[in-house]
Amino acid sequence: QVQLVESGGGSVQAGGSLRLSCAASRYIYQYYSMGWFRQAPGQEREAIACIYTAAGSTSYADSVKGRFTISVDNAKNTLYLQMNSLKPEDTATYYCAADVTRTCGSITDFAYWGQGTQVTVSS
């Protein structure tokens, strides 16, 4: 069954902001960890942010640190990625992912994935 559904992608100029949402079909607390990936055409998938839903602790890839913020809203069962100071190199399809047991160190093995949302940043 569908577990995660992303939304909020779009086109923006460099320096702009977007907020991605990932609606979960389970209660957020039922996931141990949740995260965001992105993949640009011809490039490898990149894990960019991860959060432990109970503790609230977060981690980021160096490429987005200081610009992107991952968060969860338990009342809305939704994971967010606030993206500020966007750059053309942030252009990619963004995916959310979650797992009930795996740590952020194993984010590439997360069991549940969304279908992706496109982000395009123009210069």
Side-chain angles (χ1 to χ4, degrees), residues 16-73:
S17 298
L18 283 173
R19 188 177 76 160
L20 304 183
S21 300
C22 174
S25 58
R26 293 186 179 190
Y27 292 116
I28 289 290
Y29 71 80
Q30 291 181 301
Y31 297 111
Y32 178 59
S33 49
M34 303 184 78
W36 290 94
F37 287 82
R38 67 185 181 186
Q39 187 166 23
Q43 297 189 19
E44 292 186 358
R45 184 177 57 184
E46 178 187 19
I48 57 174
C50 194
I51 186 168
Y52 290 104
T53 60
S57 54
T58 59
S59 58
Y60 298 92
D62 288 343
S63 58
V64 305
K65 196 173 296 182
R67 300 188 298 122
F68 291 10
T69 303
I70 187 172
S71 63
V72 295
D73 184 329

